[in-house]
Amino acid sequence: MVADYAPPTVDPQTGVESKDVVISPETGVKARIFLPKINVPDQQKKLPLIIHYHGGGFCIGSSFDIITTRMLTVLTSVANAIAISIDYRLAPEHLLPIAFDDSWSALQWIFTHLNREGPELWLNQFVDFGRVFLLGESAGAAIAHHMAVRVGTTKGLEGSRIRGAVIVHPYFVDNDQPDELVRYLSPGPIAANSDPKLNPKVDTDLDKMCCEKVLVFVAENDGFGLKPRGVEYCETLKNSGWKGDLELVENEGEDHCFHVFNPTCESALVLVQKVASFVNQD
């Protein structure tokens, strides 16, 4: 399941511009940044930043393929926000938890721009680091969630403010049911359903999740059977002692990650508008 590569460009319909950056020459981790069309009078205005982690069961997908590029181009335009999609390394060539490790390294790289002296001009010039949001779908939703918890439990990141997380059709493991894909992609505790990266129910740090609000989507007709796990995630988070605001939205009549594969359909645009409102609320 390999989607076609989409080169960085300026989208003729929305004016959204994209470019690729190298985060770690040692590991080869890269990212694609999406910048909305900015009018000259607004060039000094700082914009929200959406940090995106793509789905694909930790073993397929890319920040550079046409699927992710189309989806984030639409979201960047509608939300009038900057997006950066992290192209973490994939299993099974790079077993879990490497996807989480790469995502954490990328987040730390992003935070080097807090003083406006980081290596990437767009992040220095245009980002409001008081309005940073994590976003992921499916496996990427699990990564986004774990990044929010890890920021909340890591000292030295006080200068950053992750205001919210958007968890779309999350791929979490079930306490009572072995996950054969995860067992194939990872050795050790993750494969045994006992690692908090993929099982929030066993995470003793859940109450320390750094963001002040979380938006969760589940698909009514999720073909992977993940809707109940998304609902259970919300219940687990509410009962953890975490003090933020939580909203659960069901995408009625839709399948898993429908918005990624058809980002301009009516239901996808409703989802994107919901995310845009979430990002731009004071």
Side-chain angles (χ1 to χ4, degrees):
M1 295 180 65
V2 179
D4 290 338
Y5 168 78
T9 186
V10 178
D11 181 64
Q13 293 184 318
T14 63
V16 170
E17 185 176 357
S18 58
K19 69 174 174 178
D20 298 340
V21 295
V22 176
I23 290 176
S24 172
E26 292 77 22
T27 63
V29 174
K30 301 176 183 178
R32 175 162 290 179
I33 308 178
F34 298 80
L35 182 71
K37 185 177 181 179
I38 298 176
N39 297 320
V40 174
D42 297 329
Q43 285 187 347
Q44 301 305 314
K45 181 181 178 182
K46 298 295 186 284
L47 302 174
L49 176 66
I50 299 171
I51 303 172
H52 171 256
Y53 306 96
H54 68 79
F58 303 104
C59 56
I60 60 174
S62 170
S63 300
F64 307 135
D65 65 30
I66 192 170
I67 294 173
T68 300
T69 296
R70 284 186 310 200
M71 187 267 291
L72 286 180
T73 296
V74 173
L75 177 60
T76 299
S77 177
V78 173
N80 193 35
I82 297 172
I84 178 169
S85 183
I86 310 305
D87 201 52
Y88 54 86
R89 288 174 290 174
L90 300 177
E93 292 81 2
H94 304 282
L95 293 174
L96 293 175
I98 286 178
F100 291 93
D101 296 339
D102 287 349
S103 298
W104 178 246
S105 297
L107 194 58
Q108 292 177 303
W109 179 86
I110 291 169
F111 287 155
T112 65
H113 297 79
L114 286 170
N115 60 3
R116 309 291 173 187
E117 297 179 359
E120 173 45 49
L121 177 62
W122 283 2
L123 299 184
N124 291 331
Q125 184 174 353
F126 296 114
V127 170
D128 178 356
F129 280 100
R131 294 188 292 162
V132 177
F133 296 83
L134 304 173
L135 164 68
E137 69 276 350
S138 194
I143 294 176
H145 160 78
H146 181 67
M147 294 302 106
V149 174
R150 191 161 177 180
V151 170
T153 58
T154 302
K155 294 182 179 180
L157 296 180
E158 293 80 9
S160 63
R161 184 183 177 192
I162 295 179
R163 185 172 291 186
V166 182
I167 309 298
V168 185
H169 309 165
Y171 176 22
F172 293 123
V173 297
D174 191 319
N175 266 3
D176 304 320
Q177 182 178 352
D179 190 302
E180 294 301 325
L181 177 60
V182 171
R183 291 177 67 181
Y184 175 65
L185 300 180
S186 171
I190 293 183
N193 292 9
S194 59
D195 191 294
K197 295 180 185 67
L198 279 176
N199 189 350
K201 291 184 72 173
V202 302
D203 192 348
T204 57
D205 291 324
L206 200 58
D207 62 321
K208 301 179 181 67
M209 196 168 177
C210 68
C211 47
E212 62 192 44
K213 59 181 183 177
V214 175
L215 175 62
V216 181
F217 291 92
V218 295
E220 181 183 21
N221 299 329
D222 194 308
F224 295 101
L226 295 177
K227 175 188 169 182
R229 299 186 198 177
V231 174
E232 182 181 52
Y233 167 71
C234 291
E235 292 300 318
T236 301
L237 189 55
K238 281 193 292 187
N239 295 328
S240 69
W242 175 70
K243 303 300 183 183
D245 295 324
L246 176 64
E247 183 178 0
L248 173 64
V249 176
E250 180 175 338
N251 302 124
E252 297 180 356
E254 297 295 349
D255 201 351
H256 188 74
C257 292
F258 70 96
H259 67 294
V260 176
F261 300 102
N262 190 4
T264 59
C265 73
E266 183 177 353
S267 295
L269 292 176
V270 170
L271 185 153
V272 167
Q273 188 58 61
K274 181 71 176 177
V275 174
S277 298
F278 181 82
V279 167
N280 286 291
Q281 285 174 345
D282 292 329

